[in-house]
Amino acid sequence: MSEVATHDDHHDHVPSGIGRWLFSTNHKDIGTMYLIFSLVMLFLGGASAMVMRMELFFPGLQIVDPDTFNNLVTNHALIMVFGVVMPAAAGMANWMIPIMIGAPDMALPRLNNLSFWLLPMAGIMLILSMVVSYLPGTGGQVNTGWTLYPPLSVQAGMGMDFVIFTIHILGISSILAAINIVTTIVNMRAPGMTWFKLPLFVWSWFFTGLLLIMIMPVLAGGVTMLLFDRHFGTAFFDAAGGGDPVLFQHLFWFFGHPEVYVLLLPSIGVLGLVIPTFSRKPLFAYKPLVWFMAMLTALGMVVWAHHQYTIGMSLGVTTYFMIGTILISIPVGMMLMSFIFTMWRGSMTFETPMLFGIAIILMFSFAGVTGVMLAVVPADLQYHDSYFVVAHFHYALIPGALFGLYAGVFYWLPKWTGHMYDEKLGKIFFWWTTIGFNVTFFPQHFSGLAGMPRRIVDYSPQFAEFNFISSVGAMAFGLSHLLFLYIIIKTIRGGEKAPDNPWEGSQIGTVGLEWNLPSPPPFHSFTTPPTIK
Ligand code: CU
């Protein structure tokens, strides 16, 4: 073979057909696969929520038995967190970060392939966890919820082993992807692309990547100890053997609280592009915003025990976790103010991504308010394990993470597909899903304050009205996603050709919009030598 690769040589290395996807090292193809995977999982996780809300339409048991309900609770959370929000954000990172920083691809393209292909394996394993629970002699359902607290998780049936293995695979996938993204941002920036020229989305993933590298090993360790307690005679979490079940809660929430920011930060990064673009103004206070993200990341690592006030910690420790948690409202509030000041006196237009952006600011602020309520120890002792908590974190994660990703999908669909989506349908989807979401979760604050416990298949009749309204909203919220799917398929299949700068956006700071690049992009972006500086 000659030293200089000819065009034909190169062409030989680009597999076609299914091989293009199986062996892909192309950040755009891998990004697309992440996005499609998360879309499939969205319908799976959504279906499990719909079944739960159908059961809760009326008091009494109607369509599922209590064990199945508990298993649905577990699966819904695991699917939404690990199967939907994280892969969708990773898909956007894969697609956009190399383009935004002027790199030809991710720093570690083959690792990128492995990170993605571990995911469908984990997804299958998670589905199997539910399937094996129904086989005779496997010990029943995975009835712990996604928090997997012992002793219940030590006693649970074989399905729990599948869940533990699922989390191991997911953990490997997330850590590898995070290493890849952080390495890419550190090493692959084009000459002149200095740290404080990075678009906010890139910064958000830099901090997300660091968080993942710090927290995923702790969760992996926790569930491994669980596995040992289940099968190898250890007693890490067994008081009778000298262990302590509360240890698991600390390990889980050391992962679990920062994980919330893993879910939120990429969406805040998307807002950092959407709000300036549709306001035709540079992002207000870009540098402080980056530092507030750093502050959020750091504080997020040290507040985990606010999920366990009820375990009986000392007054000093409890007070520390309370004050730390309340402090988090500073960076979050500053970020939201920064977006509001970006809109101030801008030439705003209200296409679908911007509608989501504004809705996020309003609804996520509301989650912030209930979050401060829950941070206050004496109040939390009353709200703990009630539907108020369910309402709070769905207001945090559906606007804060999911709607941010929807904003990103509508913002970048023209870039990804080369076509404009149907703006009218996009707006219908926005209103349908936003109203459905609020009708679902707003009443849950009240049923929670009235004392309805969370993760429960049945409830006493005084909660019937709130639950009926909530279930009606959930059906609307769930069904709106059929329109979402239709819009995406329609856009992929055709439509008006996307111009280079479809949103007529301004420059963001000194960084031009990535729309200046050809759209749709060339098939294989690794055709030019890397420009590593
Ligand atoms: Cu938390």
Side-chain angles (χ1 to χ4, degrees), residues 226-423:
L226 214 51
L227 191 71
F228 273 59
D229 271 16
R230 286 169 58 81
H231 296 296
F232 306 123
T234 57
F236 292 113
F237 309 126
D238 181 4
D244 189 347
V246 169
L247 170 63
F248 183 84
Q249 299 192 15
H250 282 289
L251 292 173
F252 182 85
W253 287 113
F254 186 84
F255 147 83
H257 186 82
E259 172 67 18
V260 175
Y261 299 140
V262 167
L263 305 175
L264 293 176
L265 277 170
S267 290
I268 294 175
V270 171
L271 283 194
L273 298 169
V274 166
I275 302 280
T277 300
F278 294 94
S279 305
R280 276 93 199 167
K281 273 177 64 192
L283 191 58
F284 180 86
Y286 160 81
K287 263 191 198 179
L289 240 176
V290 172
W291 287 112
F292 281 123
M293 269 193 181
M295 183 180 171
L296 185 73
T297 305
L299 276 178
M301 290 297 296
V302 293
V303 295
W304 70 89
H306 61 208
H307 296 269
Q308 3 169 137
Y309 286 149
T310 53
I311 62 174
M313 294 178 290
S314 74
L315 183 64
V317 171
T318 315
T319 310
Y320 158 77
F321 280 110
M322 176 170 85
I323 292 171
T325 304
I326 294 172
L327 281 177
I328 287 178
S329 54
I330 296 172
V332 172
M334 286 302 177
M335 284 176 187
L336 296 176
M337 288 311 287
S338 183
F339 294 139
I340 292 168
F341 287 136
T342 304
M343 291 190 280
W344 176 251
R345 292 188 168 172
S347 307
M348 291 166 73
T349 54
F350 301 95
E351 287 86 351
T352 311
M354 186 60 162
L355 289 177
F356 273 112
I358 295 167
I360 291 163
I361 293 171
L362 291 170
M363 297 188 298
F364 188 65
S365 304
F366 189 75
V369 173
T370 55
V372 173
M373 289 169 76
L374 287 167
V376 178
V377 179
D380 179 77
L381 295 179
Q382 306 300 316
Y383 308 146
H384 188 90
D385 247 337
S386 77
Y387 251 85
F388 189 81
V389 179
V390 177
H392 158 72
F393 71 73
H394 281 93
Y395 262 86
L397 287 177
I398 291 178
L402 207 60
F403 283 5
L405 296 170
Y406 293 166
V409 166
F410 286 103
Y411 188 59
W412 283 318
L413 260 181
K415 175 73 182 170
W416 295 338
T417 65
H419 304 291
M420 299 302 286
Y421 64 86
D422 188 327
E423 187 62 59

Side-chain angles (χ1 to χ4, degrees), residues 443-485:
Q444 295 183 2
H445 292 100
F446 303 118
S447 51
L449 288 176
M452 179 171 164
R454 63 187 287 204
R455 288 176 174 174
I456 199 151
V457 68
D458 192 12
Y459 49 86
S460 69
Q462 76 261 32
F463 306 123
E465 284 84 358
F466 289 135
N467 276 282
F468 182 79
I469 297 168
S470 188
S471 286
V472 169
M475 297 307 124
F477 185 43
L479 285 176
S480 73
H481 289 79
L482 295 176
L483 179 60
F484 184 54
L485 186 66

